Amino acid sequence: QVQLVESGGGSVQAGGSLTLSCAASGFSGLNIMAWFRQAPGKEREGVAAIDTFGTRRSVDSAKGRFTISQDKAKNTVYLIMDNLKPEDTGMYYCAARRWVILWERKSISASDFGTWGQGTQVTVSS
Protein backbone atom coordinates (compact mmCIF):
# COMPACT_ATOMS: atom_id res chain seq x y z
CA GLN A 1 0.00 0.00 0.00
CA VAL A 2 1.38 3.39 -1.06
CA GLN A 3 1.65 5.79 1.85
CA LEU A 4 3.08 9.27 2.45
CA VAL A 5 3.60 10.70 5.92
CA GLU A 6 4.60 14.34 6.39
CA SER A 7 6.24 15.86 9.44
CA GLY A 8 8.19 18.93 10.45
CA GLY A 9 5.58 21.65 10.36
CA GLY A 10 5.28 24.25 13.07
CA SER A 11 5.12 27.91 13.94
CA VAL A 12 7.98 30.28 13.22
CA GLN A 13 8.54 33.98 12.93
CA ALA A 14 9.17 35.65 9.59
CA GLY A 15 12.71 35.07 8.46
CA GLY A 16 12.88 31.71 10.19
CA SER A 17 13.40 28.24 8.76
CA LEU A 18 11.66 24.89 8.77
CA THR A 19 12.40 21.54 7.19
CA LEU A 20 9.49 19.34 6.20
CA SER A 21 9.90 15.61 5.71
CA CYS A 22 7.83 13.18 3.68
CA ALA A 23 8.38 9.49 4.35
CA ALA A 24 7.22 7.30 1.49
CA SER A 25 6.43 3.62 1.55
CA GLY A 26 5.01 1.11 -0.88
CA PHE A 27 6.51 2.72 -3.97
CA SER A 28 8.39 1.05 -6.78
CA GLY A 29 9.78 2.18 -10.10
CA LEU A 30 10.25 5.80 -11.19
CA ASN A 31 8.32 8.50 -9.40
CA ILE A 32 7.87 12.22 -8.99
CA MET A 33 7.48 13.58 -5.49
CA ALA A 34 6.14 17.06 -4.84
CA TRP A 35 5.25 19.49 -2.13
CA PHE A 36 2.04 21.49 -2.29
CA ARG A 37 0.63 24.07 0.05
CA GLN A 38 -2.85 25.33 0.67
CA ALA A 39 -3.73 28.51 2.50
CA PRO A 40 -7.21 28.94 3.99
CA GLY A 41 -9.70 29.77 1.27
CA LYS A 42 -7.20 29.22 -1.52
CA GLU A 43 -6.48 26.45 -3.98
CA ARG A 44 -3.75 23.94 -3.41
CA GLU A 45 -0.61 25.09 -5.23
CA GLY A 46 2.54 23.25 -6.17
CA VAL A 47 5.72 24.45 -4.52
CA ALA A 48 8.49 22.12 -5.65
CA ALA A 49 8.99 18.66 -7.10
CA ILE A 50 11.77 16.14 -7.60
CA ASP A 51 11.94 12.88 -9.51
CA THR A 52 13.80 9.64 -8.98
CA PHE A 53 16.71 10.94 -11.07
CA GLY A 54 17.05 14.07 -8.95
CA THR A 55 15.58 16.47 -11.49
CA ARG A 56 13.97 19.38 -9.64
CA ARG A 57 11.40 22.01 -10.37
CA SER A 58 10.09 24.79 -8.14
CA VAL A 59 7.74 27.71 -8.49
CA ASP A 60 9.06 31.26 -8.67
CA SER A 61 7.89 32.16 -5.16
CA ALA A 62 9.99 29.31 -3.76
CA LYS A 63 13.18 29.83 -5.73
CA GLY A 64 16.05 31.03 -3.60
CA ARG A 65 14.21 30.21 -0.37
CA PHE A 66 12.93 26.63 -0.62
CA THR A 67 14.95 23.57 -1.57
CA ILE A 68 13.55 20.14 -2.31
CA SER A 69 15.81 17.17 -1.76
CA GLN A 70 15.59 13.45 -1.24
CA ASP A 71 17.27 10.63 0.60
CA LYS A 72 16.64 7.52 -1.45
CA ALA A 73 18.01 5.22 1.23
CA LYS A 74 15.36 6.52 3.62
CA ASN A 75 12.64 6.92 0.97
CA THR A 76 12.21 10.45 2.26
CA VAL A 77 11.75 13.77 0.49
CA TYR A 78 12.48 17.05 2.23
CA LEU A 79 11.42 20.63 1.76
CA ILE A 80 13.95 22.96 3.33
CA MET A 81 12.37 26.36 3.79
CA ASP A 82 14.44 29.43 4.62
CA ASN A 83 13.55 33.09 5.03
CA LEU A 84 9.92 32.20 5.61
CA LYS A 85 7.27 34.84 5.05
CA PRO A 86 3.75 35.17 6.48
CA GLU A 87 2.36 34.38 3.03
CA ASP A 88 4.02 30.94 3.26
CA THR A 89 1.49 30.02 5.94
CA GLY A 90 -0.68 27.04 5.07
CA MET A 91 -1.07 23.30 5.13
CA TYR A 92 1.77 21.61 3.31
CA TYR A 93 1.13 18.32 1.55
CA CYS A 94 3.44 15.75 0.06
CA ALA A 95 2.26 14.04 -3.11
CA ALA A 96 3.50 11.42 -5.54
CA ARG A 97 2.88 10.27 -9.07
CA ARG A 98 4.49 7.98 -11.62
CA TRP A 99 7.34 9.50 -13.61
CA VAL A 100 6.55 10.86 -17.04
CA ILE A 101 8.96 12.26 -19.59
CA LEU A 102 9.46 16.04 -19.66
CA TRP A 103 7.39 16.47 -16.49
CA GLU A 104 9.70 19.26 -15.37
CA ARG A 105 8.60 21.44 -18.29
CA LYS A 106 5.05 21.58 -16.99
CA SER A 107 3.58 23.27 -13.95
CA ILE A 108 3.28 21.31 -10.72
CA SER A 109 -0.44 20.62 -10.78
CA ALA A 110 -2.37 18.89 -8.01
CA SER A 111 -4.58 17.16 -10.55
CA ASP A 112 -1.57 15.21 -11.86
CA PHE A 113 -0.82 13.62 -8.48
CA GLY A 114 -2.77 10.66 -7.19
CA THR A 115 -1.16 9.89 -3.85
CA TRP A 116 -1.26 12.35 -0.97
CA GLY A 117 -0.15 12.63 2.61
CA GLN A 118 -2.27 14.00 5.42
CA GLY A 119 -0.49 17.36 5.50
CA THR A 120 1.51 19.32 8.03
CA GLN A 121 0.72 22.88 9.13
CA VAL A 122 3.18 25.73 8.69
CA THR A 123 2.43 29.05 10.35
CA VAL A 124 4.65 32.07 9.86
CA SER A 125 4.03 35.11 12.01
CA SER A 126 5.17 38.63 11.21
Side-chain angles (χ1 to χ4, degrees):
Q1 182 178 0
V2 175
Q3 189 175 16
L4 300 173
V5 179
E6 302 100 330
S7 61
S11 298
V12 296
Q13 290 189 330
S17 299
L18 282 174
T19 296
L20 307 183
S21 300
C22 173
S25 60
F27 285 97
S28 63
L30 306 178
N31 296 284
I32 302 165
M33 303 290 293
W35 285 98
F36 289 80
R37 66 184 176 193
Q38 187 166 22
K42 294 188 177 181
E43 293 186 355
R44 194 169 297 188
E45 63 172 348
V47 176
I50 187 169
D51 70 9
T52 306
F53 303 105
T55 300
R56 296 174 172 84
R57 176 174 167 79
S58 60
V59 297
D60 288 343
S61 62
K63 291 179 180 178
R65 300 190 301 124
F66 295 2
T67 302
I68 190 169
S69 65
Q70 62 186 346
D71 184 333
K72 294 181 181 180
K74 296 182 178 180
N75 290 325
T76 299
V77 175
Y78 304 96
L79 185 66
I80 303 163
M81 305 186 292
D82 296 318
N83 191 21
L84 283 161
K85 303 176 181 180
E87 52 263 42
D88 294 319
T89 294
M91 187 69 79
Y92 282 69
Y93 297 91
C94 178
R97 62 169 296 186
R98 289 298 184 190
W99 185 87
V100 292
I101 193 169
L102 300 179
W103 70 270
E104 68 277 11
R105 297 189 182 184
K106 296 177 58 179
S107 61
I108 307 169
S109 176
S111 61
D112 291 331
F113 289 78
T115 302
W116 293 85
Q118 82 288 352
T120 186
Q121 177 69 35
V122 172
T123 302
V124 185
S125 58
S126 57

